[in-house]
Amino acid sequence: MKFMRIGAVGAETPAVLDENGIARDLSEIVSDIGPETLPYLETRMAPLTLSDLPEVPIHGARIGAPFARPRNVWCIGLNYSDHAAEAGMPVPTEPILFTKSGSTVCGPNDPILKSPSMTKLDWEVELGVVIGKAALEIGPDAAMDHVFGYTVVNDVSERAWQLERGGQWSKGKGYPHFCPAGPLLVTRDELGDPGDLAMRLSVNGQTFQNGSTRTMIFPVAEIVHYLSQFCLLEPGDLICTGTPPGVGMGQSPQRYLDIGDEVVLSVSGLGEQKQTVIASEKRS
């Protein structure tokens, strides 16, 4: 199944796509798609005839993240062998873990926010994994049983904050709108093997990233198993699994985002995102 959330920020309608690609309203079935409902969502869906559900108009509507704000956003750094080479860093022997704030999650086409103090704003197309049931110290063979599905993520990064300000990577990863997600949340059975998915990202029409999940160092099952040894993975948690080569920091000369730039990214089977960089505003 392919799930979406459609509508204004904070008022998104949960929806599922039927066999004809028409969005069907789930608001009478579940209050939302997120941490509270993912554990039983597929069970609720099983007896339904999707064509009997009301249609949700998509044309001209805002597409939200396909799940409500997660409790946790876990991220894996340098998880592609060719990206590690691009960065001039050794291939990790264990997954590199950092986190993003839940406030970074936004709709797939919502703008990327650029603060005046940002100087090295970068992009990263990633496969996002959404947890369906809690996992703590699970074995590798059980890992995929805890995955609900997959989505597209742009792990937006401010490299100067990440690498030149000391401390942890999370500093350059946590600004609002630094984690566009969606448009779809595709269930594990619907997508199939996550280990052979094409990934693309362009800026202003120029392709920078053209990779595949084939070059992942740590595949999805290993990531879920590994994280569960240290963290309680909860329903609705998002795991950003790393990016292939082609980020702005890896260009020669380096290429970073500025106001007005348009970023388009996709992962096969999961849809496309499109964001424009705009100036951020202080919030009181």
Side-chain angles (χ1 to χ4, degrees):
M1 287 180 281
K2 298 178 179 179
F3 295 96
M4 301 181 70
R5 294 167 69 248
I6 303 165
V9 176
E12 294 92 344
T13 297
V16 61
L17 297 186
D18 67 16
E19 61 183 8
N20 297 312
I22 297 172
R24 299 291 178 173
D25 191 339
L26 291 177
S27 57
E28 294 299 317
I29 311 301
V30 290
S31 58
D32 205 345
I33 298 169
E36 305 302 326
T37 59
L38 282 173
Y40 61 81
L41 179 56
E42 289 187 283
T43 301
R44 289 278 183 90
M45 297 294 300
L48 300 178
T49 301
L50 299 186
S51 59
D52 291 340
L53 299 173
E55 181 178 347
V56 183
I58 295 180
H59 182 71
R62 173 185 175 268
I63 306 300
F67 42 82
R69 179 171 172 166
R71 296 187 180 100
N72 302 292
V73 181
W74 309 102
C75 304
I76 306 299
L78 291 178
N79 192 34
Y80 283 68
S81 56
D82 39 6
H83 176 51
E86 171 187 57
M89 301 180 73
V91 172
T93 57
E94 293 190 34
I96 296 172
L97 173 64
F98 63 94
T99 62
K100 294 175 84 86
S101 166
S103 64
T104 61
V105 176
C106 65
N109 305 320
D110 290 347
I112 294 172
L113 304 182
K114 186 177 189 293
S115 164
S117 59
M118 294 179 188
T119 58
K120 297 181 178 180
L121 186 61
D122 208 345
W123 58 81
E124 295 187 16
V125 59
E126 304 204 1
L127 173 67
V129 176
V130 178
I131 296 298
K133 64 177 181 178
L136 181 64
E137 295 192 66
I138 59 169
D141 293 342
M144 297 305 290
D145 294 337
H146 295 261
V147 173
F148 181 88
Y150 305 95
T151 193
V152 183
V153 169
N154 187 355
D155 177 17
V156 182
S157 309
E158 169 50 41
R159 301 298 189 191
W161 296 356
Q162 176 190 356
L163 301 173
E164 299 171 17
R165 298 290 298 273
Q168 300 298 312
W169 283 9
S170 297
K171 188 181 297 182
K173 303 280 189 169
Y175 203 77
H177 287 215
F178 267 27
C179 192
L184 302 173
L185 171 56
V186 180
T187 53
R188 187 178 74 246
D189 61 330
E190 176 92 5
L191 184 69
D193 180 14
D196 190 15
L197 304 175
M199 311 169 74
R200 293 180 63 87
L201 183 144
S202 66
V203 179
N204 299 334
Q206 179 181 354
T207 298
F208 284 94
Q209 293 188 275
N210 186 10
S212 170
T213 56
R214 288 193 306 272
T215 64
M216 269 189 177
I217 300 165
F218 305 104
V220 171
E222 188 170 351
I223 290 170
V224 173
H225 156 66
Y226 183 86
L227 288 180
S228 79
Q229 307 310 301
F230 309 100
C231 319
L232 173 63
L233 300 178
E234 299 184 87
D237 280 6
L238 173 64
I239 304 173
C240 305
T241 59
T243 196
V247 299
M249 183 175 61
Q251 305 302 309
S252 182
Q254 293 178 335
R255 163 71 160 91
Y256 294 111
L257 295 171
D258 206 346
I259 292 168
D261 284 343
E262 182 181 80
V263 183
V264 178
L265 58 149
S266 63
V267 177
S268 58
L270 298 174
E272 181 181 275
Q273 301 184 357
K274 182 183 293 185
Q275 298 117 25
T276 300
V277 182
I278 67 171
S280 66
E281 298 179 0
K282 292 183 179 180
R283 304 181 189 184
S284 58

